[in-house]
Amino acid sequence: MAVAELDLDPDGPDGPVLSFGPALGGPPPGAGDIFALVRLRGRPIATVLGHVGADEDPAEVLTAVFRARKGPYGPPAPAEPTPAEPTPAKLTRAAPTPAEPVREAPVREAPASEAPAPPAAVVTAPPRTTVVVATRERAGQLARALDSLLAQDHPDFRVLVVDNAPVTTATRDLVESRYAGRVDYVQEPRPGLAVAHNSGAAAADGTVIAFTDDDVIADPHWLTALTAPFAADPGLGCVTGLILPARLTTSAQILLESHGGFAKGFEPRLYDPASPPAGEPLFPFTAGSFGSGANMAFRAEALRAVGGFDPATGTGTAARGGDDLYAFVRILAEGHRLRYAPEALVWHHHRETWQDLRNQAYGYGAGLTAYLTAILVRHPALLPALLAKLPRGLAHARAITAHRPDPAGDPAPGTHGARAHPWPRDLSRLERRGMLYGPLGYLKARIRVRRQAGGRTQPRGEARVRRRARVRRRARVRRRTRGERS
């Protein structure tokens, strides 16, 4: 299945323009299915699927599919985010009949009764940013990601590669030969994605620190769209963006994307702890609805003030995941706002095999309860709030892994939804087993982190982050004390 972009520019002289995705050089030979991101004047507004015959024009076919569904999508997403509403968990999924096309769940609109988002601010230049890419022994994928990052239209940024627990010199050799002078390199000997991210944060400069993975291709406008909101909103602590598939060539990839993949929709959303979303009684502990670690950015001061990422979470640790979720909740718990910006787009290379998907399902479950355990262990003051929401949380956890038909019914032609691709029961069971394992995995990882520190209480990157946070806290205390004396 080919991946493409369809730009519906009503002001353009040539009508809709179809271009093929970063991983595929052109349309499928002869007849075939095409999964397309639909843009209106450059802004992502939907995804559609069309089957193109051997003698048909792909752009005309996909445009017709989109126009048949114009009602649900209508005009492009508004420039300002709507208040947050519940977003289906990323594993409310269900295995494909491989011959069946991927389909798309309709984008939900925020209830009109909820309070409007803050008024638009004056557009200013995006702030100085460091892009951190953590990687481990995947030089080929990394090169593809770095090429896309160096093509960004952001006016002021640097790219920093964190080589996590390397076995060979392949990553260092790649950076120093092919990207010398354009990409910076840091080596972090301790394994774990969160540890690598903390090392990157410690070495970063600028107002914003953005994070992405080595298996993505960033849209040229990605970094600008991801970081510009920080200049417009001083209270913003985190921004996340849209993640779409770079390739859909295996049944495992099709299954994952047919249930939303990593995407969180095309409506901008603003999460404000001062005004919790009415439709999310579990807020802010529904961190999976906020975004994903492959596409996120933090105000550097806010991230360092909360101590960065928990090094006992994330890929490469016994916890299996949860590092991004932990950071989202910590940022919100400190009173910062979080924004989802679908214009900040990266193309992600989904797992290709069924075993990869099984590992991913288990890791999602483990990461979910591991991050909750991390929150309670490291920040027990949040326990009362979590306990108050726990009954609903348990029901929610069971619901997102339940094997059940799609309540929305059969999707419209050209959409993608759950009924065409039922999620296997064994993957649901794997996710629930991961949830049971998560707290134990986190505790194992926490013990290992302390042992690896060799006498230090935190790994090097986290220690730097915490040291900076302590200095800032002491400075604030001194200022308050002087003010009280006067």
Side-chain angles (χ1 to χ4, degrees):
M1 181 183 299
V3 176
E5 296 182 69
L6 179 67
D7 197 341
L8 303 175
D9 186 355
D11 303 322
D14 302 322
V17 176
L18 185 70
S19 57
F20 284 83
L24 300 174
D33 293 325
I34 299 177
F35 174 90
L37 167 67
V38 181
R39 296 180 184 263
L40 185 56
R41 297 186 180 90
R43 174 176 293 169
I45 59 170
T47 55
V48 296
L49 176 80
H51 182 81
V52 179
D55 299 325
E56 293 182 304
D57 181 282
E60 291 181 359
V61 171
L62 293 168
T63 300
V65 172
F66 174 76
R67 285 176 176 167
R69 300 181 52 226
K70 188 175 180 180
Y73 284 96
E80 283 303 305
T82 53
E85 64 159 309
T87 301
K90 55 186 169 187
L91 278 182
T92 322
R93 314 192 163 128
T97 303
E100 292 182 346
V102 66
R103 302 177 182 270
E104 177 190 22
V107 174
R108 296 145 55 102
E109 298 182 2
S113 60
E114 293 185 3
V122 177
V123 177
T124 58
R128 167 73 175 171
T129 301
T130 296
V131 182
V132 175
V133 185
T135 186
R136 187 172 192 268
E137 302 300 336
R138 298 204 293 189
Q141 292 190 68
L142 176 63
R144 184 176 56 198
L146 292 179
D147 288 343
S148 72
L149 293 175
L150 292 174
Q152 294 297 300
D153 62 10
H154 191 288
D156 187 14
F157 72 100
R158 72 186 270 233
V159 178
L160 175 65
V161 168
V162 181
D163 195 1
N164 188 215
V167 177
T168 70
T169 62
T171 299
R172 179 191 288 273
D173 294 343
L174 172 73
V175 173
E176 292 181 350
S177 60
R178 183 168 170 177
Y179 301 100
R182 297 186 295 161
V183 174
D184 296 324
Y185 174 90
V186 171
Q187 184 180 118
E188 173 50 65
R190 294 178 176 81
L193 185 58
V195 174
H197 280 169
N198 281 337
S199 292
D205 64 338
T207 303
V208 174
I209 307 173
F211 298 89
T212 191
D213 292 347
D214 60 8
D215 57 358
V216 309
I217 296 175
D219 180 81
H221 188 59
W222 166 71
L223 192 58
T224 297
L226 190 68
T227 59
F230 290 101
D233 182 358
L236 201 61
C238 178
V239 178
T240 64
L242 177 64
I243 303 175
L244 291 179
R247 302 187 65 174
L248 290 172
T249 56
T250 71
S251 55
Q253 290 174 330
I254 291 173
L255 171 63
L256 180 62
E257 191 58 32
S258 72
H259 292 270
F262 299 96
K264 306 300 177 185
F266 294 89
E267 290 286 342
R269 293 190 297 274
L270 184 66
Y271 295 91
D272 188 346
S275 180
E280 283 199 35
L282 298 172
F283 179 85
F285 300 106
T286 49
S289 65
F290 303 148
S292 298
N295 191 353
M296 62 183 182
F298 296 86
R299 192 177 298 276
E301 182 180 14
L303 181 62
R304 289 168 179 151
V306 300
F309 299 87
D310 186 330
T313 59
T315 303
T317 70
R320 305 289 294 269
D323 53 309
D324 50 351
L325 309 183
Y326 173 87
F328 297 155
V329 172
R330 288 293 293 123
I331 287 290
L332 289 165
E334 290 299 314
H336 302 285
R337 289 186 284 275
L338 184 152
R339 178 174 177 169
Y340 171 67
E343 291 181 37
L345 167 66
V346 299
W347 301 90
H348 180 262
H349 286 80
H350 292 350
R351 312 287 179 90
E352 295 184 357
T353 69
W354 285 106
Q355 187 56 50
D356 288 339
L357 199 57
R358 288 172 59 83
N359 294 341
Q360 192 169 25
Y362 186 84
Y364 281 163
L368 174 64
T369 52
Y371 107 79
L372 289 172
T373 305
I375 289 288
L376 296 182
V377 169
R378 300 187 59 163
H379 307 283
L382 294 175
L383 178 61
L386 180 59
L387 288 177
K389 302 170 186 289
L390 190 58
R392 294 287 298 274
L394 292 175
H396 176 73
R398 180 173 180 79
I400 67 174
T401 59
H403 181 86
R404 61 189 187 282
D406 181 8
D410 292 322
T415 68
H416 88 242
R419 288 188 68 92
H421 304 286
W423 188 250
R425 293 180 183 273
D426 67 315
L427 293 184
S428 295
R429 287 193 293 268
L430 275 173
E431 190 182 7
R432 286 193 288 268
R433 284 171 54 191
M435 288 180 176
L436 294 175
Y437 166 80
L440 176 60
Y442 173 74
L443 295 176
K444 286 181 177 179
R446 188 172 173 85
I447 291 171
R448 183 177 182 183
V449 163
R450 289 182 172 179
R451 288 175 178 171
Q452 288 175 336
R456 295 191 300 270
T457 55
Q458 298 96 20
R460 181 176 53 192
E462 190 191 12
R464 291 176 185 171
V465 171
R466 288 187 170 277
R467 209 160 38 238
R468 293 181 182 182
R470 285 197 298 270
V471 170
R472 290 185 176 88
R473 284 196 297 269
R474 289 168 183 167
R476 287 196 296 268
V477 170
R478 286 196 295 270
R479 287 195 295 269
R480 287 198 299 267
T481 302
R482 285 197 296 268
E484 291 171 357
R485 288 176 179 173
S486 62

